[in-house]
Amino acid sequence: MTGSVEQGISQTHGNTHILHFLVRLPQAMEAVWPALTTPEGLASWFTNADVLEPRLGGAVTLRDIGSGSITAWDVERVTEYTVGPGGRIRFHLERDGDEGSVLRFTHEFQGGEESEPRGRARFERLIDVLEGGP
């Protein structure tokens, strides 16, 4: 099984933009978690994390997105970063069969639009990274 970006939806409600993705991954949740919650993991596919205190209430600074705090932290399941103008970024992992996982991603923010194609490209990069690609 290879990973796949099954769904990408961009919605706008007034000045609030919401980007959703559903990504199926052949790796177990435990193998995916570090890509979502460590500076090295995030830098490999999403953005650099200049500050990341891995705990509920911990500080986080995502380069070119913003600074704030970790507003949800359920180890190997859910992390949410609420960062200044960058809004709320939520990663929710679920088991998918015996060995795979599903990542449900939500990015809710105000102002300028984050594009669905750009988000899709990021998740394709995540799949490559998790499969041992460059």
Side-chain angles (χ1 to χ4, degrees):
M1 175 178 147
T2 62
S4 64
V5 182
E6 293 194 357
Q7 183 179 4
I9 299 170
S10 180
Q11 302 171 322
T12 302
H13 303 281
N15 195 34
T16 301
H17 303 284
I18 304 170
L19 189 61
H20 294 284
F21 278 93
L22 176 71
V23 183
R24 292 197 183 276
L25 302 161
Q27 295 83 10
M29 293 166 46
E30 299 82 4
V32 176
W33 182 250
L36 312 176
T37 61
T38 66
E40 303 79 19
L42 286 166
S44 71
W45 71 278
F46 190 71
T47 192
N48 288 317
D50 296 322
V51 175
L52 181 63
E53 297 174 350
R55 60 179 169 76
L56 185 62
V60 62
T61 298
L62 302 177
R63 193 174 297 173
D64 301 322
I65 298 176
S67 295
S69 63
I70 297 175
T71 49
W73 187 267
D74 183 1
V75 175
E76 295 178 356
R77 296 195 185 285
V78 177
T79 188
E80 180 178 275
Y81 307 128
T82 302
V83 289
R88 184 175 59 91
I89 299 167
R90 184 177 185 87
F91 300 102
H92 183 125
L93 282 171
E94 300 171 1
R95 294 215 182 278
D96 188 22
D98 291 334
E99 297 183 19
S101 56
V102 172
L103 171 61
R104 296 179 190 280
F105 170 84
T106 304
H107 185 186
E108 183 177 330
F109 57 99
Q110 304 285 314
E113 252 182 89
E114 173 79 357
S115 72
E116 189 271 337
R118 180 176 173 195
R120 181 173 296 279
R122 281 181 168 156
F123 288 108
E124 288 170 356
R125 175 80 178 128
L126 173 62
I127 291 167
D128 288 344
V129 166
L130 291 172
E131 291 177 351

